[in-house]
Amino acid sequence: MKKTSKKLLQLVLFYPILTFFFSCEQEASHPQWDINILGPVLNASLGINELVADSVITTNDSGRVKLVFESDYNGLNTDSVYQLPDTVLTNSVPDSLITSCTLCAIPVNPGTVIPVGAVIKKPYITIGATGTALRRAVIQRGKLRFTFKNYLNGRIAFSYDLPKAIVNGTSIQFRDTIDPGTPSQPGTVTKEIDVAGANLDLTGPNGTQFSVLYYNLTATNIGTAPVSVYINQVDFDIETQLIGIEPAYVCGYLGQKLFELNDSIRLTDRPFFEHGSLQLDSATLAIDLQNNIGMDLSAVLRSLIGYNSVSGQSVSLIAPGILNQSLNLSRARETGNPAAPVSPTQLHYVLDNSNSNLPSVLQNLPDRFLTELSVNANPLGNISGYNDFIYKNRLLNIHSRLSIPMRFSMDHLVLTDTQELSIERLTNLEPVGPMTFTLVAENGFPIDFNLELIPLDASGQRVDTLLSPDYIPAAPILNGVVISPTITRIKIPIDTNRKEKILNATSMVIRATFNTDQPGMIDLYESYRLKLKLIADGVYSIR
Amino acid sequence: MKAPLLRPFFLLLLLASSGIYAQQSDIRNEYGLESDRNFRIGLSLDYSFASNALTNKIVTDYFLHRFITNSTKDAVSNNLDPVNRVGAGFHGNFDFLYRPDSSRIHYIFSLQHHLQLDSRFSDDLFELYFRGNKGFAGDTAHVDRTSMRLLFYYQAGVGAGGTSNSGNFNWYAIGSFLVGHDLLDINAHRGWLYTPNDGEYIDANLDLTFRQSDSAATQPSAVNGTGFGFTGGLSMATGDNGIFHLGARNLGFIHFFERSSYATIDTSLRFEGIDVSELFNLSDTVQSTITTDTAFVQRFIKNRDKRVMNIPTPGQVDLWQEQSFAGNKFSIALGTRFYVSQNALPLGWMEASVPLASWLTIRLRAQYGGYTSWVAGPGLEIHGGGWNIRAASDYLSGWINDGGGRSQGAYVSLYKSF
């Protein structure tokens, strides 16, 4: 009995302890309960700086905003003005040019210099395009490849020298030997030289020629038997190949050229507005042309069109004073100062309300300008006396400055933007229970907004419309200035079903429609802001 | 002749058999050794939880990660005072006693571990934490008058106990070397949160201090601090069959090393939501991302450094009087306990013990104070052949009060003397 009682007592003592420990299994990874929250979740403050890049916003002393778009156009490049294309130049002289020949074959004994003049009648390389006459060229980069061909039946030692082609302070020179050849199979030697930085005097041995690079050639029979040099056939040949030659500078007469510069100047990476109408008080477009080329230029602006890529609408500029007129830019001057070698010439034009329909062009809300511009170089020919010049990267600059004071009226102007959204990256919304969000909009602009936030799913389908109603009235103005912001509260109830749809959204369309209800135009000040705050009131699950 | 001889024996028996059932180890000379024994080896475990407001239900649901319902929270809210208390502990003890032959002194060696939670919190803090801030719309939630300390340490003690020649006086004293393992200490010197009716902002004003032992050293063998403690007590015969006891337990401190973290938050801020202005930046083609930056909180933590900390250990001082009646057929004890370095109120208790058989004694204890209010619980002791088994729960009344109980605890010990 006693033993039984003791055993029983032991069981009574230990069983609850064992039961307790083995039943203490956690139901979840964290404690769980629901709380009721009330408080701000998100806020945003939007001004003109958020709509437009800071770099285009300027303000005057009173804070009035003006948008300024500046762009530089360099439609010309050195290659379009002058280039030395890859070519192969040969210096063999056909026998038809030999007008007389008293000895048609000249025997040359071993160790004797071959009279080169008998076989090479034109000891120079012609460089340059047709219609040009170059005096000098400085090479930015490139190579010259020389292939020497020996058709004689004896081994030749030769010396090749370009005394007016200076590379690194010395003229280009080659010394070598060439194996014997036959009329059909010459002995050959190839030499290549990097001519980056080379200074080429192209005026010939006496300085009276143009576009020629002359050379000196000495050939000696180093064979063991005499060779016969035939005057009426090709005995020796030099091929000169220009490879990737880019001039850094050329001077001489660069010929007459016509350039068509038809281009698209982009104002913004994406259009501001979808549709609607905008009335602008004024706009100014200043165009500066700067000629750094040693050639007279005559430019004609045939058209300037503002294009809205969203609506597809375009409006052409009407400006009798500049369109289809010859805009003559005289040639630049060389200063002789290596640091600033060019003294450019300039032209300045201004388009505004008084001489053009520029505001109308801009009211079309263009995101780019299309231009048709032609430039005629040296329209009067070689009036500089072979003193045209061109420096690489110092060409024709066109700088434009479009200035738009933000004084305007709007009628249902719609701005749309789509932002990729990963709400899970923003925050974990799983614990959010039934909630009423309140969007508090404090509008400091004298503009009515209709603001839509539309989440889209992965296939681009609308899953919801977050704001309804979506009207945010304008702030009142006095003497053209907002006196106080208006405050609007929009309730957004989110139940479980709605939450699921929003969580599945992959992007958000933000669409704002703007209206100015005030009679006349309004001014935009930098201080104007639209403040948005999202307040949550509901259940949040602690997990 | 018999009486003088019996008295010390009786006293020892009483000391050995009674009053050991109280939670947090019985100070009534649990380190006593029967006069006819030379050795004793023992193990005891006890745990407890008590609060004036938090119920067993919410604590159990919280730690078992069950969903905490509104009715569970309501049961706590009905108990809340402006300032509330909660304490919990889990303690283990191993001891070895040795008395040389013919000696009145026995030597005590003990090893213990202590895991203790002590906290004070405001009613607003509970409501804010478990219900949210909406209930404070247009009002201020005060979260100051809040502190929490979680301490885990080990203790190795060496001491002695003895009996006077007359047998009317017993004593024991143990000096302990303490090893601090974990400390988390949070104090809110100032704190309030204001939510306006429309919820457009939240104002907060906080002055908090965080202290924590080396968070990288969490392995069981980690030593993050050392210290010393004292446990001791005495008892003396008073009048006829009466005994007066006085004891102190775990009075000491732990010095946590320089690797311990110390940080303060002293801030006054207004939260108006996360700024997502970049989301609407139409002038920027680069996709913007908004992050809920946890560093948002980190910004407010100032004065984060490493420093030493001296932490007093949670201790207690007990004194009580016990009296036996009807020829030792039952005894009654009345006592009081004062808590040291804890947020508990002084505790008063009463206990009745009845030996039902030579091997079985039962007792019933009722107490008021500490972390909670009235609680009561039974205990029993089984002994024989040198074995002594004890089990008790001072908080059984709270434990069995489904949904409304605000305390629970149990004590069990096993000793063998020979």
Side-chain angles (χ1 to χ4, degrees):
Chain A
M1 250 332 246
K2 254 193 186 176
K3 281 186 183 173
T4 309
S5 301
K6 281 190 180 175
K7 280 188 182 170
L8 193 63
L9 269 168
Q10 283 167 3
L11 271 175
V12 168
L13 274 177
F14 288 111
Y15 179 74
I17 297 170
L18 292 172
T19 306
F20 176 76
F21 281 108
F22 282 103
S23 69
C24 283
E25 189 178 338
Q26 291 178 334
E27 289 190 358
S29 58
H30 294 93
Q32 327 165 53
W33 68 92
D34 289 341
I35 60 174
N36 292 306
I37 60 168
L38 172 65
V41 179
L42 306 172
N43 77 78
S45 179
L46 310 175
I48 188 69
N49 296 296
E50 280 72 40
L51 287 177
V52 183
D54 289 348
S55 57
V56 303
I57 297 173
T58 61
T59 55
N60 63 11
D61 290 341
S62 63
R64 272 203 199 114
V65 173
K66 183 164 59 176
L67 302 183
V68 177
F69 301 90
E70 297 197 59
S71 69
D72 286 295
Y73 175 71
N74 299 301
L76 291 178
N77 54 46
T78 312
D79 282 352
S80 61
V81 179
Y82 190 80
Q83 59 179 306
L84 294 170
D86 290 1
T87 51
V88 177
L89 309 166
T90 58
N91 283 81
S92 60
V93 181
D95 57 0
S96 62
L97 292 182
I98 307 298
T99 56
S100 67
C101 138
T102 54
L103 279 175
C104 292
I106 302 173
V108 179
N109 292 321
T112 307
V113 175
I114 297 171
V116 175
V119 298
I120 302 286
K121 291 297 182 189
K122 191 174 75 168
Y124 54 81
I125 306 164
T126 302
I127 294 181
T130 306
T132 65
L134 303 182
R135 291 192 296 112
R136 192 164 75 92
V138 176
I139 307 301
Q140 178 83 16
R141 61 174 62 89
K143 293 180 182 176
L144 292 176
R145 182 181 293 157
F146 302 93
T147 303
F148 301 92
K149 295 182 180 177
N150 176 23
Y151 295 92
L152 298 172
N153 60 346
R155 189 175 176 79
I156 301 295
F158 72 93
S159 164
Y160 183 77
D161 175 27
L162 293 162
K164 288 202 171 181
I166 308 298
V167 179
N168 295 327
T170 58
S171 62
I172 296 175
Q173 297 177 355
F174 301 114
R175 306 273 186 273
D176 209 331
T177 60
I178 310 179
D179 290 334
T182 64
S184 58
Q185 273 193 327
T188 61
V189 164
T190 300
K191 300 287 184 187
E192 191 171 288
I193 182 168
D194 189 331
V195 292
N199 200 319
L200 307 179
D201 184 332
L202 302 173
T203 57
N206 299 319
T208 57
Q209 293 170 283
F210 297 98
S211 301
V212 300
L213 190 64
Y214 90 97
Y215 60 86
N216 293 320
L217 176 67
T218 305
T220 305
N221 177 10
I222 59 171
T224 54
V227 296
S228 294
V229 177
Y230 292 91
I231 298 174
N232 61 349
Q233 70 184 35
V234 175
D235 296 306
F236 201 83
D237 199 358
I238 305 169
E239 283 182 0
T240 305
Q241 187 174 2
L242 279 62
I243 304 172
I245 298 290
E246 283 182 30
Y249 168 80
V250 291
C251 74
Y253 173 58
L254 300 180
Q256 288 183 302
K257 299 179 191 302
L258 178 64
F259 307 101
E260 295 290 342
L261 305 175
N262 301 328
D263 211 336
S264 171
I265 302 170
R266 183 181 291 275
L267 280 181
T268 64
D269 289 332
R270 59 170 177 240
F272 282 144
F273 299 102
E274 259 184 11
H275 54 79
S277 74
L278 171 72
Q279 299 294 321
L280 288 174
D281 180 64
S282 63
T284 304
L285 176 65
I287 302 173
D288 289 294
L289 302 168
Q290 183 186 70
N291 183 16
N292 291 280
I293 305 172
M295 299 166 77
D296 295 322
L297 300 177
S298 178
V300 178
L301 179 65
R302 291 198 296 279
S303 70
L304 180 70
I305 302 172
Y307 177 68
N308 183 322
S309 59
V310 176
S311 65
Q313 301 285 329
S314 59
V315 175
S316 297
L317 177 71
I318 300 170
I322 187 174
L323 283 179
N324 297 309
Q325 303 291 320
S326 288
L327 311 175
N328 297 317
L329 265 172
S330 53
R331 62 185 58 236
R333 302 287 173 204
E334 288 191 271
T335 64
N337 177 3
V342 176
S343 172
T345 58
Q346 303 197 37
L347 273 182
H348 178 74
Y349 294 95
V350 175
L351 298 175
D352 55 24
N353 290 26
S354 65
N355 61 4
S356 73
N357 68 336
L358 183 62
S360 298
V361 174
L362 298 174
Q363 283 164 187
N364 181 43
L365 307 172
D367 49 280
R368 66 179 70 180
F369 283 109
L370 307 174
T371 61
E372 286 183 329
L373 174 71
S374 60
V375 179
N376 199 343
N378 276 344
L380 302 178
N382 185 15
I383 61 170
S384 68
Y386 302 97
N387 283 305
D388 295 347
F389 66 87
I390 180 168
Y391 284 84
K392 184 178 172 67
N393 296 329
R394 296 176 191 270
L395 303 168
L396 176 64
N397 295 336
I398 304 174
H399 178 82
S400 64
R401 187 172 192 271
L402 176 62
S403 175
I404 308 173
M406 288 282 93
R407 180 174 170 76
F408 56 85
S409 64
M410 292 175 173
D411 182 17
H412 289 87
L413 200 60
V414 177
L415 184 150
T416 304
D417 190 37
T418 302
Q419 295 267 349
E420 284 184 14
L421 202 62
S422 174
I423 295 185
E424 289 299 327
R425 260 193 309 151
L426 274 176
T427 186
N428 178 17
L429 291 180
E430 196 58 40
V432 175
M435 192 80 72
T436 297
F437 291 95
T438 301
L439 178 68
V440 180
E442 185 179 308
N443 183 12
F445 285 91
I447 302 173
D448 294 331
F449 293 96
N450 283 81
L451 186 62
E452 295 176 81
L453 300 175
I454 305 168
L456 305 178
D457 62 18
S459 59
Q461 297 299 311
R462 171 194 295 234
V463 298
D464 205 318
T465 301
L466 290 182
L467 300 180
S468 178
D470 56 8
Y471 175 64
I472 300 170
I477 59 173
L478 181 67
N479 297 327
V481 181
V482 165
I483 48 177
S484 63
T486 58
I487 298 179
T488 307
R489 287 184 165 80
I490 302 173
K491 297 276 186 195
I492 313 170
I494 305 282
D495 57 19
T496 308
N497 186 41
R498 209 176 183 194
K499 185 184 96 170
E500 282 308 309
K501 288 187 199 171
I502 294 169
L503 281 177
N504 291 329
T506 56
S507 57
M508 176 83 75
V509 173
I510 303 165
R511 181 176 295 133
T513 304
F514 305 91
N515 279 295
T516 51
D517 273 348
Q518 319 285 343
M521 295 192 179
I522 60 156
D523 287 300
L524 208 60
Y525 287 81
E526 194 182 25
S527 59
Y528 289 167
R529 300 206 74 76
L530 171 66
K531 295 182 183 175
L532 303 172
K533 185 179 288 185
L534 192 67
I535 297 168
D537 179 358
V539 176
Y540 187 87
S541 298
I542 301 292
R543 292 286 182 267
Chain B
M1 208 39 201
K2 255 192 178 177
L5 281 175
L6 275 175
R7 188 172 288 175
F9 180 78
F10 161 75
L11 282 172
L12 282 170
L13 193 64
L14 256 185
L15 289 169
S17 65
S18 65
I20 305 171
Y21 318 101
Q23 254 49 69
Q24 298 192 3
S25 298
D26 189 2
I27 203 169
R28 284 184 279 178
N29 210 351
E30 66 192 286
Y31 296 106
L33 185 60
E34 294 94 329
S35 57
D36 60 344
R37 304 286 177 178
N38 293 102
F39 300 95
R40 196 193 81 175
I41 188 166
L43 262 175
S44 67
L45 290 170
D46 82 82
Y47 98 96
S48 65
F49 157 79
S51 175
N52 70 304
L54 297 181
T55 60
N56 293 325
K57 178 86 171 63
I58 198 170
V59 171
T60 307
D61 287 349
Y62 190 92
F63 284 103
L64 293 183
H65 298 171
R66 294 184 194 138
F67 184 78
I68 300 172
T69 64
N70 283 334
S71 61
T72 302
K73 298 177 208 173
D74 291 342
V76 176
S77 297
N78 292 337
N79 300 324
L80 286 172
D81 291 329
V83 180
N84 304 277
R85 303 169 301 279
V86 60
F90 177 63
H91 309 272
N93 175 75
F94 167 81
D95 59 63
F96 173 70
L97 276 58
Y98 165 65
R99 178 193 288 118
D101 284 339
S102 305
S103 171
R104 289 190 173 277
I105 304 234
H106 61 274
Y107 302 98
I108 305 165
F109 306 92
S110 73
L111 293 173
Q112 298 179 14
H113 86 270
H114 303 278
L115 174 62
Q116 185 118 7
L117 168 72
D118 171 76
S119 178
R120 180 186 71 216
F121 60 95
S122 66
D123 49 355
D124 286 352
L125 180 62
F126 174 84
E127 298 296 337
L128 204 61
Y129 187 70
F130 282 101
R131 296 192 201 268
N133 72 319
K134 185 172 179 182
F136 291 95
D139 199 0
T140 302
H142 292 274
V143 298
D144 47 4
R145 299 164 295 173
T146 295
S147 67
M148 192 206 78
R149 179 175 293 169
L150 186 63
L151 180 63
F152 181 23
Y153 68 99
Y154 302 104
Q155 185 173 346
V158 174
T163 308
S164 64
N165 287 335
S166 64
N168 291 333
F169 180 81
N170 290 310
W171 60 275
Y172 70 94
I174 303 171
S176 299
F177 176 70
L178 310 182
V179 174
H181 188 273
D182 272 315
L183 167 72
L184 176 62
D185 185 87
I186 301 173
N187 258 288
H189 312 291
R190 183 185 75 248
W192 54 262
L193 197 83
Y194 174 73
T195 306
N197 281 314
D198 56 16
E200 286 201 24
Y201 60 88
I202 294 176
D203 281 342
N205 193 305
L206 298 170
D207 181 2
L208 306 177
T209 303
F210 294 89
R211 296 191 288 181
Q212 187 178 17
S213 57
D214 186 1
S215 56
T218 57
Q219 65 276 22
S221 58
V223 176
N224 291 316
T226 54
F228 295 98
F230 171 78
T231 295
L234 59 89
S235 56
M236 65 179 73
T238 57
D240 253 354
N241 301 321
I243 307 173
F244 173 76
H245 303 260
L246 173 66
R249 170 178 300 282
N250 294 331
L251 303 182
F253 72 95
I254 299 174
H255 172 86
F256 281 90
F257 304 140
E258 257 187 27
R259 299 187 302 269
S260 306
S261 301
Y262 177 88
T264 60
I265 292 181
D266 186 357
T267 187
S268 181
L269 65 97
R270 170 167 290 193
F271 178 69
E272 296 194 76
I274 299 167
D275 190 345
V276 293
S277 298
E278 279 303 306
L279 196 64
F280 296 91
N281 190 336
L282 305 176
S283 68
D284 186 354
T285 55
V286 174
Q287 295 297 329
S288 303
T289 57
I290 312 295
T291 58
T292 51
D293 189 1
T294 54
F296 176 78
V297 172
Q298 299 297 328
R299 286 206 297 272
F300 301 105
I301 297 180
K302 298 180 171 46
N303 301 325
R304 193 204 303 257
D305 59 18
K306 302 281 189 186
R307 59 172 74 173
V308 301
M309 299 169 197
N310 293 315
I311 303 293
T313 51
Q316 60 196 57
V317 175
D318 286 78
L319 50 91
W320 72 98
Q321 175 74 37
E322 64 179 307
Q323 195 75 39
S324 55
F325 299 96
N328 303 324
K329 285 193 178 161
F330 70 94
S331 64
I332 292 178
L334 286 171
T336 186
R337 173 176 295 164
F338 299 93
Y339 293 90
V340 178
S341 300
Q342 297 172 78
N343 285 298
L345 299 175
L347 181 83
W349 56 271
M350 184 176 77
E351 183 177 289
S353 302
V354 179
L356 293 181
S358 61
W359 55 273
L360 177 66
T361 302
I362 62 169
R363 64 92 166 159
L364 184 65
R365 179 183 170 113
Q367 62 187 40
Y368 182 91
Y371 289 102
T372 186
S373 58
W374 282 108
V375 287
L380 64 87
E381 179 191 352
I382 299 167
H383 58 87
W387 289 96
N388 188 298
I389 300 169
R390 297 172 194 150
S393 173
D394 292 349
Y395 303 102
L396 190 62
S397 62
W399 209 344
I400 62 177
N401 181 356
D402 188 35
R406 290 169 283 165
S407 57
Q408 56 179 280
Y411 169 84
V412 62
S413 70
L414 175 66
Y415 290 96
K416 169 68 176 163
S417 50
F418 48 93

